[in-house]
Amino acid sequence: MITNISTRTLLSVFAVLLIGVILLILIPRNERTFKSELVSIDTSKVSEVLIFPHSKGHKEIKLYKNNKDWYIKLPNGDAEKIQQEKISQVFNQLISIKPQKLVTKDKKKYKDLMVDSSGTIVKVYEGKELSLDIIIGRFAFQQPKTVTTNVRLNNDNEVYATEGFLETTFGNIDYNFFRDKTILRYDMNGFTKLSFIYPADSSFQAKKYDNIWKIEDKEVNNEKIKKYLATLSNLQGIEIVDKNLIDFNNMTKLVLNIETDKAGKYTLTGYYNDKDYIISSSFNEGKYFRSQDLVQRIFIGQKNLF
């Protein structure tokens, strides 16, 4: 009886081993080393994010947390507070990195996939601990209409494809990507008075009486003033310019003072010459934006409102 039980046990063990061997043969070698997770960070504990974008020669972008706020270190050594939505975008993109398939373990293919030193490097610190060190490489279009990006943990050999276009958040950015580009944001119905201060005798004021806007005693065109106020209510810049590189002495200055119902006064200042157009705002002090379109849309003549 003891012999029979031992025989059954041996047969069971043999069967399990045989199944294991069969599975090892049938399952592709690549799938045996497939990681289910690449990014494991606690966003509440993250203290610093370093991004080295490939498109900008791997110049460091440093984001760091001070108390509850996030800041970016500027090239001149200054620090500037960034909007929460920007750091949330970074975290959301990193957490979304999920391995779809193992692309290769062959180091000879790293360069072509841009997961060597040519790729974008992202380092995440939780305190002094490096919790993520990942290389974001070349992206590829897949069918139907999806994009994948090659990624590799810096100390691992495996290259994985992950769904998503990570280039716009990491690879093709500079420090200005994280800076607040708001020129003015306010409810258009809260504007009460516009004072345009121009050279010579071209200055004028537009003022709201109840719901009617007038220049001096003349009522302006209702549709035109609504369209203009809608423009003022949400102004966004694109290109931020270093103040030290602007030659203000050779530019004409334009000023628009905007009085509101609850927030006091905002001032928009424009500068222009035959080569350049610059605008600044008291709403977002210290920043200067280059935009011919915005200067021409904001600093209008009174004829544009009749």
Side-chain angles (χ1 to χ4, degrees), residues 249-264:
N249 294 325
N250 292 317
M251 305 185 84
T252 300
K253 182 179 178 181
L254 309 169
V255 176
L256 171 58
N257 290 320
I258 304 170
E259 296 182 29
T260 68
D261 54 355
K262 297 177 181 179

Side-chain angles (χ1 to χ4, degrees), residues 59-235:
K59 292 182 179 179
E60 179 186 274
I61 297 174
K62 181 177 180 179
L63 311 174
Y64 65 93
K65 192 175 185 180
N66 186 5
N67 295 322
K68 294 182 179 181
D69 296 320
W70 279 88
Y71 293 82
I72 182 168
K73 185 176 181 181
L74 301 178
N76 63 6
D78 292 341
E80 184 177 300
K81 186 177 177 180
I82 65 174
Q83 296 171 304
Q84 182 60 40
E85 62 189 51
K86 283 295 185 180
I87 194 66
S88 295
Q89 182 179 348
V90 170
F91 289 154
N92 291 338
Q93 284 277 38
L94 290 175
I95 292 171
S96 72
I97 296 176
K98 307 290 184 184
Q100 279 195 332
K101 67 176 182 179
L102 180 61
V103 178
T104 186
K105 294 173 65 177
D106 187 351
K107 293 183 179 181
K108 294 179 181 179
K109 297 181 180 180
Y110 285 1
K111 185 175 182 179
D112 184 56
L113 298 173
M114 284 184 67
V115 289
D116 59 355
S117 59
S118 65
T120 293
I121 300 170
V122 180
K123 297 178 183 286
V124 177
Y125 289 86
E126 296 179 21
K128 294 183 178 181
E129 180 183 351
L130 180 61
S131 57
L132 179 66
D133 188 359
I134 193 168
I135 302 174
I136 297 172
R138 193 182 304 279
F139 63 89
F141 293 98
Q142 307 290 336
Q143 296 297 331
K145 296 182 179 180
T146 59
V147 180
T148 60
T149 301
N150 296 302
V151 295
R152 180 175 70 86
L153 294 178
N154 219 340
N155 294 324
D156 287 354
N157 294 327
E158 297 87 357
V159 180
Y160 291 94
T162 183
E163 185 176 356
F165 186 62
L166 304 180
E167 186 78 356
T168 53
T169 304
F170 301 106
N172 191 27
I173 62 170
D174 62 11
Y175 64 93
N176 281 325
F177 173 80
F178 294 97
R179 303 178 75 185
D180 183 5
K181 299 181 179 68
T182 306
I183 295 175
L184 180 62
R185 183 180 294 123
Y186 199 80
D187 181 2
M188 61 179 285
N189 296 313
F191 296 137
T192 59
K193 184 179 178 181
L194 307 176
S195 299
F196 298 84
I197 304 172
Y198 295 160
D201 59 352
S202 54
S203 301
F204 68 97
Q205 292 182 344
K207 190 173 182 180
K208 184 165 71 170
Y209 299 87
D210 293 326
N211 289 318
I212 298 174
W213 282 85
K214 294 181 179 181
I215 295 177
E216 295 181 348
D217 293 328
K218 297 179 181 179
E219 186 175 337
V220 303
N221 182 284
N222 189 51
E223 292 303 316
K224 288 186 176 181
I225 191 67
K226 279 186 176 180
K227 185 176 180 180
Y228 179 70
L229 295 177
T231 297
L232 290 182
S233 69
N234 188 18
L235 289 171

Side-chain angles (χ1 to χ4, degrees), residues 23-39:
L23 288 174
L24 285 173
I25 294 172
L26 293 178
I27 297 175
R29 185 178 178 185
N30 282 349
E31 293 187 12
R32 293 177 221 159
T33 58
F34 190 89
K35 279 188 171 68
S36 60
E37 187 177 70
L38 288 178
V39 178

